[in-house]
Amino acid sequence: MGNILLKNIENPNSAELCEYRKSGGYAGLQKALGMEPKAIIDEVKKAGLRGRGGAGFPVAMKWTFASADPKFPKYLLCNADEGEPGTFKDRPILEKNPHILIEGMTISGYALGAEYGYIYLRGEYPAAKDILNKAIKQAYEDNLLGDNILGKGVKFHLAVHQGAGAYICGEETALIESLEGDKGQPRIKPPFPVNVGAFAKPTVVNNVETLSNLPYIMEIGGEAYAKIGSPDCPGPKIYCISGHVARPGVYELPMGTPLREIIETHCGGIKGGGRLKAVIPGGISTPVLPPDKIDCPMDFVNMPKHGSMLGSGAVIVMDDTVCMVKVCHRALKFFEHESCGKCTPCREGTGWLRSILGRIEQGEGNEGDIDLLLSVAGNMIGKTFCPLGDGAASVVQNFIKHFRPEFEEHVRLKACPVGK
Amino acid sequence: MITITINGKEIKLEKAMTVLEAARSAGIKIPTLCYHEQLEKYGGCRLCLVEVEKMPRLQTSCTLMVTDGMVVRTETEAIADVRRGILEFLLINHPLDCPYCDKAGECELQDLVEKYGPTTSRFREKKRKVTENLQDPVIVRNMERCVMCTRCTRMCEGVQGASAIAVISRGGHSHIEPFSGNRYDCEYCGNCVSVCPVGAIMSRLHRHSYRPWQVKENIETTCPYCGVGCTLVAQVRDDVIKRVVPKIGSPVNNGMLCSRGRFGYEFVGHKERLTVPLIKKAGVFEEATWEEAIGLVAKRLGEARDKHGSGAIAGIASPRCTNEDNYVFQKFMRVTLGTNNIDSTARMGYAGAQAFIENIFGQGATGNIISGLSNSDTVLVIGGDPTTVNPILGLQIRACSRRGGTILTVGHVPGLQHFTPMELKPGRRQETLLLECVVTALVSRKGLPGSNQRLEEKIKVVNADIATVAGQCGLHEKEMTDFIDSLAGAGTPAVVIGKELVQACNSGYRLFLACAISYLINGRIYLLCDHANEQGVLDMGCAPDLLPGYRPLSYAEFRKRYETAWKTTLPEKNGLNIFDMIAAAGSGALKAMYVMGENPVFNLPDSKTTVAALQKLEFLVVQDIFMTETARLADVVLPALSWGEKYGTFTNMERRIQRVRKTVGREGMEDWRIVAEISKHMSVRMHYADSGSVFEEITKVSPLHRDLTYDEIAEGATIYPYKGEPLRGATEEIRTDRGMTCPEGGLFLGIDRPLFHSGTLSRMSPALGKICPDAVLRINPETAATLLVADGDIVRVSTATGSLELPAVLDKHADRSVVLVSNIFEGRGVLGLMAAALDPVLGSPVLDTIPATVERVGKAKV
Amino acid sequence: MITFSQTTIKEIEEIRRKYPTSRAALLPALYVAQREFGWLSPEAYTAVSDLLGVPEAIARGVGTFYAMYRNKPLGRHVVQLCTNVSCMILGAERLVDFLKNKYGLEPGGTTADGRFSLVIMECIGACGTAPAMLVNDDFYENLTEKYIDEILEKYR
Ligand SMILES: Cc1cc2nc3c(=O)[nH]c(=O)nc-3n(C[C@H](O)[C@H](O)[C@H](O)COP(=O)(O)O)c2cc1C
Ligand code: SF4
Ligand code: FES
């Protein structure tokens, strides 16, 4: 499988419309505009496309709900808030291949009956903002966006909305709040965004990578697409690998590529010949795996069977110089910082967990602190408003599950044993 | 029909609701903290989690809607554990200062911890510390007690609509700010105080002065301030009102209050209250016995009547007194003294405007239900800011906007600025023209409905086209057509009319145009109403042309009826109105006056003239609760019991009759009792055991109030037309004279109507005084710049009648051609500077044509 | 009182047109205010509030929720160093110490000459080229002490 989503990214001008067109860009849109919207959704259904934002929700199902809602206008929001630590898979699309996203969104907008789209771009990607804005401008000039796209009487308007530094805005209802000019705090569901979303109208939120699959699905058809990668969740997938591997970076591979293959084959194994100690396979919120658990196909269906999740496909590889308490502590610092403050267990619990971890790491932990961690995490899990708080608690649970002796040693030695 | 099972109990529900509501309806308690029935659902605290069969996670019952067949458990061991865990989280940063905290005893957190909570804390780190904040004049904040339920911010933004506070920062650093410490948009309604479940936000007025369980009585009464008539609950201990709280479910204000209602009760126990009768001897007041004072008043009034005739005596009644007080007072004037010279300050606009509107549409046309405003699809506001004059009514307009309704304003309405109103802002002087244009355009768009020929005759004459008017008003044609289109397309519109229209030049004609607009779009009219019993004072017949029951005196058959009831003969001719009275006193035609609960020197235009007139009287008796500017001129001052010390009824602007109840005791007499005593001394016996027996007489003589009882009124549903007959068909010609023309150019004096005060009563409430301590001159920054006036500079504002020196406040909301001063503070009332003509149609003073000059006399203090 | 320049007002009005409500323009308007006034001072909030008709407290609540709005004045150049897990395990903490020792830059602090401020970031999406930072709007990846010296040299 060659690059589909990251096609041409070695070309320094890949973000230019003319370059994109040269390699067949916007043919998918041309084709789509000749189809009935319903037929596009059917094609996506046949393709078996699942959302790449983390949850793996079937795209066609979400679209069907939104397009069935009688309210107008409808909105299509692209989730470009990529904030899950370890994740940098959307950035190359945004910076190097923006037109594939614009094309994908226009196709989706047409399929859904959405006339307005926003790209919710994380604030930490200022360069992408300029690139996207330029690409959108080009698309308008070439009549690929606007009131009468390609002369087919189809209307779709697109704008970039820049976030301002809040991980929680990756959660779709928080994203909508933020788009509407509010704090990014998740909303009560139901009603779901497909019925009552942005500006109280039917709204679809899809990830950058998800939407970028559309041109290709249009091009080769759903059935052919469904043959790529895992049968249960097909398609190309961008994996992003960071940490102690020889060749970190983004890799576009078929969905379901085994984690071991990614680390050892594609990334050239552990850097400097060190020993693998732990892998976080799908971004910091997904359960950490010890070295003996990495023989798992990286997709939405198989990862849970192997004790973790695909998440955003952000693989963080750690060698044996890394202290697990320290990583866990740093992760909780992140969750504390990013907790939106809406619900009690997350607002109070993340800080409490962080401070217990902090004192263990500092060598000031007590006997009983590890159980206290588990108890506090237990009081959070399943009780928070949104998955962020669950994620925070499960990070603690999973680190202790796989590396409890290391935690205990910190308490016993009143110091960090790693590397000593 | 939805059937669900909670804790094994089957519950049948008529309509969809949340699991929490369903449980409550079946008497099953689920603990909550962030939930509040007045607020939007939130689901943040997580205390109300319950188990629901077939659902994988625990669910927040406050957000989950019931579905048929749902099986819910609310009190399992596992759930109790969850709640304990949540409470532990809440307590890690909560100070355990219950012994010191005023909330103890009614603290929701305390109660929850007592029931579910952990007994020890496993939290070893330092708690968050926030010191007590007393920056705010009426609210004390202890934000370290805050549990981040956001009830206060949801109240402030989502219900009150002030949006003065917000959650600042995020996560564990979240805190609520800034309240009025920074004076953003705080309206001091204190509704955040009502909903705070813990001791984080509390009223300062009763700080550390009692414990909730020491409240002896919760007395439900009606607010003494404005014409909305909110239900208040006064909490009393040791014969002192400790706190005033609203009541959820009360028909007018449903759990909401404004600053005046909540914090304005302290006048009742004010140390400057009049306590003994005073008789002026050689220019100096001396304390007297009741015997003496009453005897003297009876004697002097009797003498005046006998010597100069009944027509030489006049009485001023009070929109702050109860129906019972006013009824007895007018009866005294009519029966005992034999004159129809009775009126009140309702003549300043409300009375004339209401009469005008009723002459067009029939009696009761302005008596529309306040809560209905929020269900309108369109609200047109003309003539002022409803959110300051009648704050709780203002909330309904905000709610209308929130529900997607369209708010249209003629002129700028600061209190609605965040509710995306469509505004048309003609210069103040072009408003008449603009209204003409709207009427013309509506006729051409919608045609004439044909149901009111008298009105249509007049409407047909109106003619002003958009293009011309847009030019003259300096407006864009597009904004005018959008505005008119919205009006024309309205389905359930309401028209809210304020004082600024009723007290403007051409006010009668403008009111006609407003009525025409309302007629053409089939709207309901709301006439803003300053005082708690402004409607009641008219209903009771405290007007020179009305008998009790709002019955015109000019109809012989009505007069007959009252003559029979009162066993007397009534003078046939209408009496003097309040302005005539001052004129007659000034000319010497009037010899004696009895003023009950009113301060005409301060509350009528042109105080110099009023003072001179009253000084000319041979005898002036003033009955009041404080020594007012008017009382100082009196020969006899009679101290009355106040609102908080007596029973009776008020009638609000909806014409809802509501109970006023005694909250605290004080020696003395109600206004009606004093009047009855005087009458007795004049050999006309008025025999009433209590206010109830006065009311009983009212229900016998007034056809409007026929057969009502206090018990029925207590239900809160006694809204016009009650059980009696409204008056129909008594119509006169609709007058469309324009009155005086609006002068061009220059600077004019206008009335500032701050939210925090209401007439002179509120100035005796220290808390309101702290919020808004003194008069200022509000001036548009651009106007100020041309006069070289900076914010805070001391300026002298002068009119033909006099001048005042005040600090200037630059206010971007003020019209460029007007400077505004309030009419609240002693020695600094704006009305005193206004020698006003009367509108020929409404009879109300024209107050927007008073030229003023402003000059800087001192620099701002830094 | 501070006010927006006429061109900025135009810019915000243009942004406003991209959305169905003026409230939705709040986040971008706060960015513009931050650019124009350097930080979100109380006056900046007032200006935004006036321009969009959004209550001031609401604007402030929103402006303090997001990490990228500056609610206090910062130095001329803002060094935004990521220390999240991927960067941490590749030495970001050492770089924090380096900035402290060599430049006197404490996390959250500003150099005495007002040239730099240091903001510790959560993940900035450069994990594959960690450790990484942004200086103002520019990305720098694969950082070393020496590289940081070179980079900072460019910002005066
Ligand atoms: C705390 C949290 C953070 C999230 N962050 C992101 C994100 O950064 N990018 C993303 O695309 N989806 C994120 N999601 C998932 C979104 O809520 C949503 O499921 C996704 O945007 C849907 O798009 P998809 O169906 O194309 O995956 C996050 C969810 C949660 C609960
Ligand atoms: S002043 Fe008016 S609005 Fe305020 S509480 Fe009293 S009656 Fe209600
Ligand atoms: S009461 Fe339901 S979550 Fe707070």
Side-chain angles (χ1 to χ4, degrees), chain B residues 646-718:
Chain B
K646 63 187 179 188
Y647 292 98
T649 54
F650 282 163
T651 306
N652 78 352
M653 60 188 288
E654 300 168 293
R655 293 203 166 178
R656 188 191 298 269
I657 307 179
Q658 304 195 97
R659 291 296 310 275
V660 172
R661 291 192 180 81
K662 178 176 165 177
T663 55
V664 295
R666 174 186 283 267
E667 245 179 75
M669 288 186 270
E670 302 90 330
D671 287 280
W672 61 261
R673 202 185 293 272
I674 302 171
V675 176
E677 283 296 314
I678 296 169
S679 189
K680 194 163 84 190
H681 271 74
M682 299 178 76
S683 316
V684 179
R685 285 182 64 88
M686 296 192 189
H687 224 54
Y688 308 108
D690 52 23
S691 72
S693 54
V694 178
F695 191 74
E696 208 181 302
E697 178 172 317
I698 295 170
T699 64
K700 288 208 179 88
V701 301
S702 159
L704 210 57
H705 300 80
R706 184 184 299 155
D707 295 340
L708 291 179
T709 66
Y710 268 5
D711 285 344
E712 267 178 285
I713 291 170
E715 310 272 302
T718 315

Side-chain angles (χ1 to χ4, degrees), chain C residues 2 5 17 29 31 35 45 56 62-63 92 105 110 129-130 139 145:
Chain C
I2 58 170
S5 65
R17 277 197 289 276
Y31 267 123
R35 188 193 68 210
Y45 280 115
E56 212 165 312
V62 170
L105 251 184
T110 301
T129 43
F139 260 105
E145 276 96 335

